[in-house]
Amino acid sequence: MDCPVFHTDYRLERPALETHRLLNADREAARFAWNDSTDEGFWVLNRFDDVKEALERDEDFTNDQVSAFHRSAPMGLLPENLNQPEHSELRRILNPFFAPKLVKRIADLARERAAALVEEVAPAKSTDIATGFGMTYPTELFLALLGLPVEDAGKFLPWVEGQFIGFFNSDPESQRIAAETRHSIDEYFTAAIAERAGDPRDPKTDLVTRLVTAEYQGAPIPHGTILTILNTIMAAGLDTTRSAIGYTFLHMARHPEDRERLLAEPELWPKAVEEIIRLYTLIIQDGREAARDLDFHGLQIRKGDLVWLGLAAANQDPRKFEHPERFDPDRPNLNQHLGFGAGYHRCLGMHLARAELGIAMSEWHRRIPHYRIADGAELRERGSQLRLQHLPIVWD
Ligand code: HEM
């Protein structure tokens, strides 16, 4: 099959929403393409049915690599880098902890923290959502959920930045920062693990205890593996929630008619959150590695090739979603988006993310219903995994 070659480098920072515009154009330009913007290059699948099929064909498209942008060291992310059956065994240990029932446990705390943080910023009549509320709120909840002291949030904020510098940049300086960050995070979690080993808590409500006491492959989980799991959950959970909060505010600031509807019908927030995750998909791609030479609907993929499964482009595919560019919390197939992935690796924290986001939005809008983007604000989004760098808003 003759394939076009795309050159767009999706690791670059761009004006807000430009990335999705480019991805939508790619999806319509060709069913399959090669992208040569990285050293190695990768195959591009951007249409909904293709992306979903590849995500579900995990024996052909493996998680040995999980980003099309670059290769990373084996087993650097857990459970992400595992394939079946090891992956399911580890998910069986983790899933109950992140199940909807347990997430409800933190609802009261989420409401209380969201309310307190909004009350704190309200008198100033302006804030940067991306670096303020959007960052502090998920970090505090993450620590509370893990049974760690909420006062440690200040340490975690720079650590998350350090982790991401390492994920997206392969130059020596970025890798040095990432390694130093990993060292600090490991020290922190090693202390928590030692404490739980000596004085275990309830494994149903304390994740570190759960990991320390669980059996995986017939033995206790090795210390290094527990550290990687905790690092992964931290990397996967904090920046994503912060990003989703940013895009939700951006949408509501730019679309007062949608905001008015949600002010009148706050019970609609869970559906609105789902639609934001689709429309502003922040994990734009899941990377996979081809397990063998494959013929994917005529596209010849070689064993070892990197493949881009375009979650963001798929989520705005008009073949799947009618008027995909519209925010429509009433759409009949609202829950069928790929914003949390699909198949075995579907997001471990999605129930938590949904609950956190819905609560944050209803608490904020109850207190500060009317706001606008600050005059002259330059809105830009990070590449690779989208996030608004700043979102200054003001209110009267
Ligand atoms: C709006 C917020 C979030 C979005 C959009 C999101 C999105 C995703 C996506 C697309 C995947 C699939 C990756 C793949 O297939 O390679 C994933 C996996 C994962 N997510 Fe989330 N996520 C969010 C929040 C969270 C939170 C809050 C946590 C935990 C505290 C979390 C933990 C994880 C983990 C551990 C995985 C790997 C699962 C596996 O490989 O089995 N995520 N997420």
Side-chain angles (χ1 to χ4, degrees):
M1 177 187 284
D2 262 354
C3 246
V5 178
F6 294 158
H7 311 297
T8 312
D9 187 345
Y10 285 103
R11 294 169 298 183
L12 300 181
E13 182 180 295
R14 295 196 155 80
L17 308 189
E18 168 108 354
T19 308
H20 280 123
R21 198 180 56 70
L22 293 168
L23 287 168
N24 287 336
D26 281 359
R27 183 196 58 240
E28 295 310 308
R31 180 172 176 188
F32 304 125
W34 177 256
N35 183 306
D36 68 357
S37 64
T38 61
D39 289 345
E40 182 177 337
F42 49 87
W43 296 110
V44 180
L45 277 57
N46 271 330
R47 296 192 182 172
F48 187 93
D49 288 347
D50 291 331
V51 174
K52 185 151 189 287
E53 180 184 333
L55 283 170
E56 288 169 351
R57 280 173 58 178
D58 60 295
E59 286 181 5
D60 292 331
F61 298 95
T62 75
N63 273 56
D64 292 346
Q65 294 296 330
V66 292
S67 171
F69 291 125
H70 57 82
R71 284 184 186 274
S72 42
M75 299 302 154
L77 294 170
L78 292 171
E80 270 250 66
N81 282 129
L82 291 173
N83 297 309
Q84 302 313 320
E86 292 83 1
H87 174 261
S88 283
E89 192 184 341
L90 190 51
R91 281 289 296 245
R92 270 197 292 280
I93 296 169
L94 296 168
N95 285 350
F97 191 86
F98 289 92
K101 217 167 51 187
L102 273 158
V103 168
K104 280 205 190 108
R105 192 163 55 78
I106 64 145
D108 286 343
L109 179 73
R111 235 170 257 121
E112 183 209 301
R113 286 317 301 150
L117 291 168
V118 181
E119 302 286 353
E120 215 175 285
V121 298
K125 306 225 177 289
S126 70
T127 193
D128 183 342
I129 286 289
T131 58
F133 179 73
M135 201 163 165
T136 314
Y137 167 78
T139 311
E140 287 191 359
L141 287 187
F142 172 78
L143 288 167
L145 182 77
L146 262 65
L148 299 166
V150 169
E151 306 76 67
D152 289 344
K155 288 185 196 158
F156 276 72
L157 300 176
W159 284 348
V160 177
E161 298 302 301
Q163 281 183 322
F164 273 81
I165 288 172
F167 289 149
F168 300 147
N169 303 287
S170 50
D171 63 280
E173 176 58 10
S174 302
Q175 288 305 313
R176 187 191 61 75
I177 294 172
E180 259 178 28
T181 305
R182 170 79 197 230
H183 183 73
S184 305
I185 299 171
D186 282 356
E187 260 182 7
Y188 179 90
F189 283 135
T190 295
I193 291 166
E195 208 226 311
R196 299 312 195 276
D199 181 15
R201 299 184 193 172
D202 180 356
K204 286 203 185 88
T205 56
D206 186 86
L207 184 62
V208 178
T209 302
R210 191 180 186 85
L211 292 170
V212 170
T213 54
E215 269 217 351
Y216 172 65
Q217 304 198 305
I221 308 180
H223 179 74
T225 305
I226 296 181
L227 288 178
T228 302
I229 294 169
L230 291 169
N231 269 271
T232 304
I233 292 177
M234 187 182 149
L238 295 187
D239 195 77
T240 45
T241 314
R242 172 183 173 191
S243 167
I245 290 176
Y247 284 105
T248 310
F249 275 94
L250 178 68
H251 181 88
M252 294 302 157
R254 285 185 169 171
H255 299 273
E257 68 291 359
D258 292 334
R259 182 161 26 126
E260 288 303 329
R261 179 162 178 216
L262 282 151
L263 291 176
E265 301 170 60
E267 66 284 0
L268 206 65
W269 270 113
K271 285 184 168 186
V273 163
E274 212 60 42
E275 184 64 345
I276 294 280
I277 304 272
R278 179 192 69 81
L279 188 56
Y280 297 88
T281 304
L282 57 108
I283 299 195
I284 56 177
Q285 53 102 30
D286 270 352
R288 294 292 187 257
E289 186 180 287
R292 56 185 71 90
D293 289 355
L294 293 169
D295 178 332
F296 187 80
H297 301 285
L299 176 70
Q300 306 301 316
I301 299 175
R302 304 290 302 271
K303 177 176 163 42
D305 285 352
L306 289 179
V307 186
W308 157 294
L309 305 181
L311 305 180
N315 277 344
Q316 290 195 41
D317 185 344
R319 298 160 193 81
K320 174 71 182 174
F321 297 103
E322 208 173 310
H323 299 300
E325 72 296 344
R326 282 191 202 156
F327 170 84
D328 177 8
D330 301 316
R331 62 174 69 249
N333 54 359
L334 184 75
N335 284 324
Q336 292 176 21
H337 66 79
L338 302 176
F340 288 118
Y344 287 112
H345 291 269
R346 191 153 190 230
C347 179
L348 174 69
M350 67 183 173
H351 305 299
L352 172 65
R354 287 171 170 141
E356 280 187 23
L357 291 164
I359 290 170
M361 290 308 138
S362 50
E363 292 302 316
W364 178 285
H365 287 85
R366 187 179 300 172
R367 289 169 180 80
I368 309 179
H370 304 294
Y371 50 85
R372 59 190 183 281
I373 297 169
D375 290 342
E378 200 197 346
L379 302 182
R380 297 187 65 77
E381 61 196 6
R382 183 185 64 196
S384 298
Q385 183 174 308
L386 302 186
R387 188 189 75 194
L388 293 172
Q389 303 291 41
H390 295 281
L391 181 63
I393 60 166
V394 294
W395 55 92
D396 298 322

